[in-house]
Amino acid sequence: IYIEFLVILVLVFITYGNSIKNDYNIDDGYVVSLDNANLLTKKGISAIPEIFKSTYNQGEGVTYGYRPFGKVTMAIEYSLWENNPQYSHFINLLLFALNVYLLLLFFKKIATLFNLTNQRFIYLAILFFIIHPIHTEVVCSIKNREEILSFSFLLSAILVYFKFIEQRK
């Protein structure tokens, strides 16, 4: 199991590792304290209760919904190393690798449910999931961490549900 995660990690870093050297992009201001546009995450860990009570962002006549977890991670990061896009990109890669691993576990569980013994197709699907260009914006844009976290929560919930069904408790 550790070898599978290590292989996934290596493949994710080969595919998206060049994003670590990137700076912030224009949308990252929604979750990161750039040019004093988002002072909430600049308060660091102490802002977490307030983040959970606030909207995602507001503009002229526009309010963007409720997505606290991306901002919470940015507040934690700000407490650790202030604004450092390289660390944030690195964390996005780790979180994406975790998602790929959770997806692998999900596929294996489905294969077990349907008595599929040949798992080569699962590994091929995981490889395509990693290298497919549709994930580039989500992985390489710090602001899109909430999508990565949402997928993590979804897969984790499904896997816990499968475990509940198996153990009946």
Side-chain angles (χ1 to χ4, degrees), residues 4-13 97 100-101 104 126 130:
E4 290 174 333
F5 183 74
L6 185 61
V7 169
I8 288 170
L9 196 61
V10 167
L11 290 172
V12 166
F13 273 82
V100 175
Y101 183 68
L104 175 65
I126 290 297
I130 291 171

Side-chain angles (χ1 to χ4, degrees), residues 10-154:
V10 167
L11 290 172
V12 166
F13 273 82
I14 288 171
T15 307
Y16 301 104
N18 63 346
S19 70
I20 292 174
K21 68 182 185 321
N22 293 349
D23 202 352
Y24 293 113
N25 69 38
I26 194 165
D27 288 343
D28 291 340
Y30 289 122
V31 292
V32 179
S33 300
L34 301 176
D35 302 325
N36 294 325
N38 185 356
L39 297 176
L40 196 54
T41 55
K42 203 171 196 174
K43 293 179 182 178
I45 292 173
S46 64
I48 291 175
E50 189 177 347
I51 290 171
F52 278 108
K53 295 176 188 173
S54 65
T55 58
Y56 183 66
N57 202 350
Q58 294 181 0
E60 286 186 38
V62 178
T63 300
Y64 302 99
Y66 181 71
R67 299 184 227 169
F69 289 105
K71 278 188 167 184
V72 165
T73 63
M74 293 302 133
I76 293 169
E77 285 183 31
Y78 192 86
S79 291
L80 296 173
W81 47 73
E82 295 190 355
N83 282 344
N84 188 321
Q86 287 74 37
Y87 289 155
S88 296
H89 286 295
F90 180 79
I91 288 175
N92 270 16
L93 294 179
L94 291 177
L95 289 171
F96 183 70
L98 174 66
N99 277 353
V100 175
Y101 183 68
L102 291 172
L103 187 63
L104 175 65
L105 295 177
F106 172 74
F107 285 162
K108 285 183 168 189
K109 184 59 72 178
I110 295 297
T112 302
L113 290 173
F114 289 99
N115 296 322
L116 302 173
T117 56
N118 185 350
Q119 295 191 352
R120 287 186 208 142
F121 182 72
I122 293 173
Y123 291 109
L124 185 62
I126 290 297
L127 176 64
F128 283 141
F129 185 84
I130 291 171
I131 65 172
H132 198 285
I134 198 167
H135 301 296
T136 303
E137 182 178 358
V138 171
V139 177
C140 297
S141 175
I142 296 166
K143 175 238 169 264
N144 289 316
R145 184 171 300 166
E146 62 252 6
E147 278 84 5
I148 296 173
L149 291 170
S150 294
F151 195 55
S152 297
F153 296 148
L154 171 71

